[in-house]
Amino acid sequence: ILCAFNTLLVNISSVDLITFEKLLIANRGEIACRVIKTCKKMGIKTVAIHSDVDANAVHVKMADEAVCVGPAPTSKSYLNMDAIMEVIKKTRAQAVHPGYGFLSENKEFARRLAAEGVTFIGPDTHAIQAMGDKIESKLLAKNAKVNTIPGFDGVVKDADEAVRIAREIGYPVMIKASAGGGGKGMRIAWDDEETREGFRFSSQEAASSFGDDRLLIEKFIDNPRHIEIQVLADKHGNALWLNERECSIQRRNQKVVEEAPSTFLDSETRRAMGEQAVALAKAVKYSSAGTVEFLVDSSKNFYFLEMNTRLQVEHPVTECITGLDLVQEMIRVAKGYPLRHKQADIPINGWAVECRVYAEDPYKSFGLPSIGKLSQYQEPLHVPSVRVDSGIEQGSDISIYYDPMISKLITYGSNRAEALRRMEEALDNYVIRGVTHNISLLREVIIHPRFVQGDISTKFLPEVYPDGFKGHQLTDHERRELLATAACLYVPCLVSQQVEVDGMKLNVTSEWNLALPLLSVTIDGTQRTVQRLSRDASGKTSIQFLGTVYKLQVLTKAAAELSKYMPEKAAEDTSSILRSPMPGAVVAVSVKPGDMVSEGQEICVIEAMKMQNSMIAAKTGKVKAVHCKAGDTVGEGDLLVELE
């Protein structure tokens, strides 16, 4: 069985030829492109929808037809059911694939499609409703004999009730949106104060993201693994589990690195989780691809978390180890065909790893959004066994309106070590210019000894980087390699050069074609792929080396002697000012000029990509000036508040 990488290898049997003539994708970006690829293989014409700012997006160019459904805000475009229904009628699309996010788990959208005789590529409305509500899904899971987390099964009315329930369950607790997913509307609380704050933020995020501010509370399983089971079911009562995905590397409850299979599960636990996932799917008469998520403790006890009634972001790693095209299977099921496979037919063939490449700054809370235009973009498709699912190209804009994901980078190997080696090489060969990105964090995670050994949990990032991510920490030898490379880039006149660093001589060999974004250099027999991002007349240069960008200055001996006379710019006193750490929208401002504030007091709330972030005072003082108001759009570094 082969893993499909850049071109999806779809085995289409004769029975598949009678599917749909035209399919609309109610989504954008990489998942829209992903669905279009399979549709092309199956001979299905596609219709793309887009907002006005996405008029030149890749998914728009790939589709056979494309129609604008509104302005940039999601509520007026990709969540605008009326506009989308009009496009369906206009284009005479017979089916709709919702991708993930947006309307993918919206029962009203599925109901409206059914009323118009349009096929929804997903489960029936009753399954979406049952599994989309975390309260109802937990009760159904209990009845289906699925292991569940202790907690409160009703809707939490207000902050006071939240505190009472949390005390009864026992801290820590997880407060989360009943209708939510993707890490939005979720907060961990360790005491009464955090419960009240978590209730406020979670309800606001839930209302913003899902139009539903209902919350529930359950016991927080400390230090767990996040392992999910992919299921596939048809309309004839057949259901399969397609093995597991390890999704424990997360920040703010959002996944960053995934892999299949998991290093942690033995065959017995895998089978037990798979059988419970299938039991739940059958209990709600599920049909289509879906995912049952579990939390797994150190003793391999597993607890039902939620069921996602849609295609998951991380589905490519399952495709790699099983050989199945999940989008194709979803389309077949929606048309009414029975599954072509039995449980015994589902293999674990090799190992796959996925890194979510984001336009964000990993040095700020492991990733705060970055926006901008991709001035240069080159995917590492020349590296063996690499798949890149993306919906952007050179010149694309990463905007404030949508998720900052650039792509999903997937590597495959016959075993985990091989898949990780290929991922390391792929990350080094990925060219992304114009926005800040998280390549450095991804590379550090996959080479970290704990990750390599499989010693991971959902707390991996804060445990490994308790003071925040600082980039790759160079060893003495790596430092000498970097300095030698920088020196040779300063005078790239020879193919082979000898450089002395700290009294040690290093032999550096390269063709030094500075017109290329990627530079291959060999230092004392060790090959490195580096990127020179910038250089100015003063000798300052930025080099991406081992995934991290280092700023250096290369000077002649005479210039170095004179540099000590150059004055240095004084650092800004950040304790008296509050700047926005990311681009976003101001949700609330809680101070005005003349107010006294205490260190740690909330000053304002910034929302970026549907996540709300509390901005606090760095010191006690009086408010001198407020430069923003609720509803304002701010950029990274914009001045928000000044203190005296």
Side-chain angles (χ1 to χ4, degrees), residues 174-189:
M174 172 70 83
I175 303 167
K176 59 184 180 181
S178 175
K184 296 178 177 65
M186 297 175 66
R187 288 290 192 281
I188 300 166

PDB file of all heavy atoms in Angstrom, residues 174-189:
ATOM      1  N   MET A 174     -11.608  21.519  33.449  1.00  0.00           N
ATOM      2  CA  MET A 174     -11.581  22.073  32.095  1.00  0.00           C
ATOM      3  C   MET A 174     -12.926  22.709  31.816  1.00  0.00           C
ATOM      4  O   MET A 174     -13.969  22.066  31.928  1.00  0.00           O
ATOM      5  CB  MET A 174     -11.297  20.981  31.062  1.00  0.00           C
ATOM      6  CG  MET A 174     -11.429  21.433  29.611  1.00  0.00           C
ATOM      7  SD  MET A 174     -10.123  22.571  29.095  1.00  0.00           S
ATOM      8  CE  MET A 174      -8.826  21.398  28.675  1.00  0.00           C
ATOM      9  N   ILE A 175     -12.898  24.006  31.470  1.00  0.00           N
ATOM     10  CA  ILE A 175     -14.105  24.723  31.066  1.00  0.00           C
ATOM     11  C   ILE A 175     -14.068  24.791  29.543  1.00  0.00           C
ATOM     12  O   ILE A 175     -13.071  25.235  28.968  1.00  0.00           O
ATOM     13  CB  ILE A 175     -14.126  26.144  31.649  1.00  0.00           C
ATOM     14  CG1 ILE A 175     -14.011  26.097  33.181  1.00  0.00           C
ATOM     15  CG2 ILE A 175     -15.382  26.889  31.227  1.00  0.00           C
ATOM     16  CD1 ILE A 175     -13.717  27.433  33.813  1.00  0.00           C
ATOM     17  N   LYS A 176     -15.132  24.339  28.889  1.00  0.00           N
ATOM     18  CA  LYS A 176     -15.080  24.349  27.433  1.00  0.00           C
ATOM     19  C   LYS A 176     -16.441  24.550  26.812  1.00  0.00           C
ATOM     20  O   LYS A 176     -17.484  24.272  27.407  1.00  0.00           O
ATOM     21  CB  LYS A 176     -14.441  23.068  26.906  1.00  0.00           C
ATOM     22  CG  LYS A 176     -15.116  21.772  27.286  1.00  0.00           C
ATOM     23  CD  LYS A 176     -14.283  20.611  26.767  1.00  0.00           C
ATOM     24  CE  LYS A 176     -14.910  19.279  27.104  1.00  0.00           C
ATOM     25  NZ  LYS A 176     -14.088  18.158  26.632  1.00  0.00           N
ATOM     26  N   ALA A 177     -16.415  25.066  25.596  1.00  0.00           N
ATOM     27  CA  ALA A 177     -17.638  25.359  24.862  1.00  0.00           C
ATOM     28  C   ALA A 177     -18.359  24.069  24.512  1.00  0.00           C
ATOM     29  O   ALA A 177     -17.753  23.118  24.028  1.00  0.00           O
ATOM     30  CB  ALA A 177     -17.311  26.142  23.596  1.00  0.00           C
ATOM     31  N   SER A 178     -19.664  24.058  24.746  1.00  0.00           N
ATOM     32  CA  SER A 178     -20.450  22.872  24.428  1.00  0.00           C
ATOM     33  C   SER A 178     -20.454  22.595  22.935  1.00  0.00           C
ATOM     34  O   SER A 178     -20.414  21.445  22.512  1.00  0.00           O
ATOM     35  CB  SER A 178     -21.893  23.055  24.917  1.00  0.00           C
ATOM     36  OG  SER A 178     -22.701  21.978  24.516  1.00  0.00           O
ATOM     37  N   ALA A 179     -20.482  23.640  22.123  1.00  0.00           N
ATOM     38  CA  ALA A 179     -20.578  23.472  20.670  1.00  0.00           C
ATOM     39  C   ALA A 179     -19.233  23.655  19.985  1.00  0.00           C
ATOM     40  O   ALA A 179     -19.184  23.790  18.778  1.00  0.00           O
ATOM     41  CB  ALA A 179     -21.577  24.474  20.106  1.00  0.00           C
ATOM     42  N   GLY A 180     -18.146  23.669  20.748  1.00  0.00           N
ATOM     43  CA  GLY A 180     -16.868  24.094  20.189  1.00  0.00           C
ATOM     44  C   GLY A 180     -15.962  23.006  19.675  1.00  0.00           C
ATOM     45  O   GLY A 180     -16.309  21.835  19.592  1.00  0.00           O
ATOM     46  N   GLY A 181     -14.762  23.421  19.346  1.00  0.00           N
ATOM     47  CA  GLY A 181     -13.724  22.552  18.827  1.00  0.00           C
ATOM     48  C   GLY A 181     -12.520  23.382  18.446  1.00  0.00           C
ATOM     49  O   GLY A 181     -12.555  24.611  18.466  1.00  0.00           O
ATOM     50  N   GLY A 182     -11.418  22.722  18.075  1.00  0.00           N
ATOM     51  CA  GLY A 182     -10.230  23.427  17.629  1.00  0.00           C
ATOM     52  C   GLY A 182      -9.536  24.236  18.699  1.00  0.00           C
ATOM     53  O   GLY A 182      -8.771  25.151  18.410  1.00  0.00           O
ATOM     54  N   GLY A 183      -9.797  23.911  19.970  1.00  0.00           N
ATOM     55  CA  GLY A 183      -9.129  24.619  21.061  1.00  0.00           C
ATOM     56  C   GLY A 183      -9.774  25.931  21.435  1.00  0.00           C
ATOM     57  O   GLY A 183      -9.356  26.586  22.393  1.00  0.00           O
ATOM     58  N   LYS A 184     -10.810  26.337  20.708  1.00  0.00           N
ATOM     59  CA  LYS A 184     -11.458  27.621  20.994  1.00  0.00           C
ATOM     60  C   LYS A 184     -12.525  27.421  22.066  1.00  0.00           C
ATOM     61  O   LYS A 184     -13.246  26.439  22.072  1.00  0.00           O
ATOM     62  CB  LYS A 184     -12.058  28.209  19.727  1.00  0.00           C
ATOM     63  CG  LYS A 184     -11.007  28.556  18.667  1.00  0.00           C
ATOM     64  CD  LYS A 184     -11.654  29.088  17.406  1.00  0.00           C
ATOM     65  CE  LYS A 184     -10.587  29.499  16.391  1.00  0.00           C
ATOM     66  NZ  LYS A 184      -9.789  28.373  15.912  1.00  0.00           N
ATOM     67  N   GLY A 185     -12.642  28.405  22.969  1.00  0.00           N
ATOM     68  CA  GLY A 185     -13.616  28.307  24.043  1.00  0.00           C
ATOM     69  C   GLY A 185     -13.225  27.315  25.113  1.00  0.00           C
ATOM     70  O   GLY A 185     -14.091  26.744  25.786  1.00  0.00           O
ATOM     71  N   MET A 186     -11.918  27.110  25.296  1.00  0.00           N
ATOM     72  CA  MET A 186     -11.438  26.151  26.287  1.00  0.00           C
ATOM     73  C   MET A 186     -10.465  26.826  27.251  1.00  0.00           C
ATOM     74  O   MET A 186      -9.590  27.575  26.830  1.00  0.00           O
ATOM     75  CB  MET A 186     -10.748  24.961  25.609  1.00  0.00           C
ATOM     76  CG  MET A 186     -11.659  24.136  24.728  1.00  0.00           C
ATOM     77  SD  MET A 186     -10.787  22.822  23.837  1.00  0.00           S
ATOM     78  CE  MET A 186     -10.290  21.767  25.189  1.00  0.00           C
ATOM     79  N   ARG A 187     -10.625  26.561  28.542  1.00  0.00           N
ATOM     80  CA  ARG A 187      -9.739  27.109  29.561  1.00  0.00           C
ATOM     81  C   ARG A 187      -9.566  26.085  30.685  1.00  0.00           C
ATOM     82  O   ARG A 187     -10.516  25.396  31.070  1.00  0.00           O
ATOM     83  CB  ARG A 187     -10.311  28.404  30.171  1.00  0.00           C
ATOM     84  CG  ARG A 187     -10.284  29.634  29.271  1.00  0.00           C
ATOM     85  CD  ARG A 187      -8.880  30.150  29.050  1.00  0.00           C
ATOM     86  NE  ARG A 187      -8.826  31.459  28.435  1.00  0.00           N
ATOM     87  CZ  ARG A 187      -8.987  31.703  27.147  1.00  0.00           C
ATOM     88  NH1 ARG A 187      -9.283  30.725  26.333  1.00  0.00           N
ATOM     89  NH2 ARG A 187      -8.874  32.928  26.666  1.00  0.00           N
ATOM     90  N   ILE A 188      -8.349  25.999  31.220  1.00  0.00           N
ATOM     91  CA  ILE A 188      -8.082  25.159  32.390  1.00  0.00           C
ATOM     92  C   ILE A 188      -8.098  26.058  33.615  1.00  0.00           C
ATOM     93  O   ILE A 188      -7.509  27.142  33.607  1.00  0.00           O
ATOM     94  CB  ILE A 188      -6.718  24.459  32.270  1.00  0.00           C
ATOM     95  CG1 ILE A 188      -6.676  23.568  31.028  1.00  0.00           C
ATOM     96  CG2 ILE A 188      -6.420  23.635  33.530  1.00  0.00           C
ATOM     97  CD1 ILE A 188      -5.287  23.109  30.651  1.00  0.00           C
ATOM     98  N   ALA A 189      -8.769  25.623  34.655  1.00  0.00           N
ATOM     99  CA  ALA A 189      -8.848  26.407  35.893  1.00  0.00           C
ATOM    100  C   ALA A 189      -8.342  25.571  37.067  1.00  0.00           C
ATOM    101  O   ALA A 189      -8.728  24.413  37.230  1.00  0.00           O
ATOM    102  CB  ALA A 189     -10.281  26.852  36.146  1.00  0.00           C
TER     103      ALA A 189
END
